[in-house]
Amino acid sequence: MIKERLAELVEESSDGALTAQEALRATVPLSALGLTSVGQMRLIDAIESEFGVEVDLTEDGLDLLDDLDLLAGRLSSR
């Protein structure tokens, strides 16, 4: 359920350039599919608002934004 909601947030954050279905089926980093740095910042804001967590802006934290499975796993463990 978390992964699906994250995919929806990816679609919203990318202004539809990357659909939720594309994000769910991704086998490469989301940035390779078109999630821009602006989209990543919007996604960070959306995740922080919706899940009440702070996204780490270090390289490790930003790498999570490229992989919905890792990101969903991290959020579900909190």
Side-chain angles (χ1 to χ4, degrees):
M1 192 71 167
I2 291 175
K3 184 177 176 180
E4 288 78 11
R5 181 60 186 139
L6 288 170
E8 291 170 356
L9 293 176
V10 167
E11 183 171 353
E12 293 168 16
S13 299
S14 70
D15 291 328
L18 183 60
T19 68
Q21 288 304 313
E22 290 171 324
L24 286 170
R25 291 191 311 259
T27 58
V28 297
L30 296 178
S31 58
L33 294 176
L35 184 62
T36 65
S37 57
V38 171
Q40 287 180 329
M41 295 311 293
R42 290 178 180 163
L43 182 57
I44 289 168
D45 288 342
I47 290 168
E48 289 179 342
S49 293
E50 181 141 340
F51 294 98
V53 298
E54 187 172 318
V55 175
D56 182 11
L57 296 178
T58 64
E59 188 173 334
D60 290 338
L62 293 176
D63 285 346
L64 284 175
L65 297 177
D66 265 339
D67 188 317
L68 286 186
D69 288 319
L70 290 176
L71 185 56
R74 182 70 56 92
L75 289 172
S76 67
S77 69
R78 290 185 180 216

